[in-house]
Amino acid sequence: MKTRILISMLLILSLSAIVFAQKEKVTSKTSTKRTKAVVLSDLPQTPRVPKLTTDAQDENLKGKVKKIVVEMKYLSGDWVQYGRYLSGIIYFDEIGDLLRNEGYIKGKPYYTNVYGFIDGKRVSKDIPVKTESNGGSFTIDDDEVIIETQTLKKPDDRFEYSYEYKYEDGKQKEMQMFFNTGKKGMRYTKKYAKNSVERIVYTLNGKVNVKDIIALDDFGNEIEQLNYANSSIPNKYKYEYIFDKQGNWIKQLKSKEVTENEKSHFEPLYETYRTIAYY
């Protein structure tokens, strides 16, 4: 069956979930401080569910990060013509948990996810965004029949997804998504070794969707990646950075290994810029 899905351009991978397109119109804007606060934290933030690590820690962020504005600039391919453009805005609370994740395509609003806590669960939902185009989406053909064996319940309209976490040696090793009917969604796993991590994303029916083997520097930043996406032959990437005073990267250059005439070299793909505000 064909499932149309949208992929975030943000590079915060463990929380950058697949987002489904919506057609509702954006609600009208207001200028009151109270309304803005509700819009930013559109789900309850208390009572908080105990979580061994915060979302910011899971993304290797240092310090009390409040907001990250993400911009991208392609160095090859068709998207070079757009120059440097807004890709996303991410908000964290003072504890380090994700509040809101806004995605943009070529600088235009594409999706918005908000996060919170309901009935002892970590949850999120999508906020309708008016878009002119869904040019960042693609279609996946999945001919397998998913056999439903789970007992489902009436959808909880207060949220769309909930999350369960597992940890090992103080690090998150698994995140399981659930739909608001209780049905299992995608699953994300991490297996750590010294200066490396194996990251796997599983589909709704338990198949491996994406597998990455990542080399890390001494500060936990990705420096090399082997990406297995629907292929046994991986693509190889490398990363270079510029950091701010807190030790968080504010510019990342991603390059891909290419082989020509039996010789391999890395070609720059794109640059990602992060403007980080702190509490």
Side-chain angles (χ1 to χ4, degrees):
M1 79 184 138
K2 293 186 176 181
T3 306
R4 192 168 182 78
I5 61 176
L6 311 177
I7 300 295
S8 166
M9 297 296 291
L10 301 179
L11 298 179
I12 299 190
L13 48 46
S14 64
L15 287 175
S16 301
I18 296 177
V19 182
F20 296 90
Q22 300 187 58
K23 298 180 181 179
E24 292 88 349
K25 294 182 179 180
V26 176
T27 56
S28 60
K29 297 181 180 178
T30 84
S31 60
T32 66
K33 292 183 179 180
R34 182 166 178 244
T35 302
K36 286 183 178 180
V38 171
V39 169
L40 182 59
S41 304
D42 200 49
L43 287 173
Q45 300 303 308
T46 57
R48 182 178 297 273
V49 178
K51 193 168 175 280
L52 189 60
T53 59
T54 67
D55 296 327
Q57 289 172 332
D58 292 338
E59 299 308 323
N60 196 37
L61 291 169
K62 288 86 173 176
K64 298 184 71 173
V65 174
K66 181 178 183 179
K67 176 181 175 182
I68 303 177
V69 177
V70 183
E71 297 173 286
M72 298 187 69
K73 180 181 179 181
Y74 276 80
L75 304 176
S76 61
D78 295 337
W79 283 50
V80 170
Q81 62 182 306
Y82 300 111
R84 179 170 166 173
Y85 63 88
L86 177 64
S87 175
I89 304 177
I90 306 160
Y91 300 86
F92 295 89
D93 65 13
E94 291 192 63
I95 293 175
D97 282 333
L98 191 62
L99 287 172
R100 186 180 182 93
N101 182 4
E102 300 174 357
Y104 297 81
I105 292 291
K106 294 178 288 189
K108 297 180 179 180
Y110 190 47
Y111 69 83
T112 297
N113 309 122
V114 293
Y115 296 80
F117 302 90
I118 293 178
D119 297 342
K121 294 183 288 190
R122 180 70 163 141
V123 298
S124 71
K125 72 175 181 179
D126 302 338
I127 302 297
V129 173
K130 183 178 180 180
T131 59
E132 297 178 4
S133 170
N134 60 356
S137 65
F138 62 91
T139 299
I140 289 181
D141 292 333
D142 185 358
D143 295 327
E144 291 193 15
V145 176
I146 300 177
I147 301 175
E148 184 57 74
T149 60
Q150 304 173 61
T151 301
L152 304 184
K153 58 186 179 182
K154 183 179 177 180
D156 189 333
D157 293 333
R158 296 175 297 171
F159 62 92
E160 289 178 272
Y161 307 102
S162 63
Y163 307 85
E164 290 184 359
Y165 305 90
K166 293 181 180 179
Y167 298 88
E168 188 174 82
D169 298 329
K171 296 180 180 179
Q172 185 189 122
K173 72 171 186 177
E174 181 175 319
M175 181 183 75
Q176 174 68 63
M177 293 180 64
F178 293 88
F179 293 94
N180 60 1
T181 58
K183 178 180 178 180
K184 285 186 176 181
M186 300 185 74
R187 183 165 64 97
Y188 302 77
T189 66
K190 293 181 180 180
K191 185 177 180 181
Y192 296 89
K194 184 178 180 181
N195 291 107
S196 69
V197 59
E198 178 186 81
R199 186 171 60 204
I200 301 178
V201 180
Y202 295 88
T203 63
L204 306 185
N205 52 357
K207 289 181 58 178
V208 173
N209 185 24
V210 178
K211 177 181 176 180
D212 295 320
I213 298 177
I214 300 164
L216 308 172
D217 65 16
D218 292 336
F219 303 98
N221 300 295
E222 299 184 11
I223 52 177
E224 287 188 352
Q225 176 190 37
L226 294 177
N227 173 254
Y228 299 81
N230 303 316
S231 173
S232 59
I233 301 175
N235 289 315
K236 186 174 182 179
Y237 303 94
K238 73 173 183 178
Y239 301 88
E240 299 173 62
Y241 299 96
I242 295 176
F243 298 89
D244 67 6
K245 293 180 180 180
Q246 296 278 352
N248 294 313
W249 64 263
I250 54 176
K251 180 180 178 181
Q252 178 198 72
L253 170 63
K254 183 174 183 177
S255 302
K256 180 180 180 180
E257 184 181 50
V258 297
T259 301
E260 297 176 340
N261 299 322
E262 299 184 352
K263 293 183 178 180
S264 297
H265 66 279
F266 283 90
E267 287 188 357
L269 290 180
Y270 56 80
E271 294 171 332
T272 303
Y273 300 85
R274 301 198 304 191
T275 303
I276 304 177
Y278 296 88
Y279 283 99

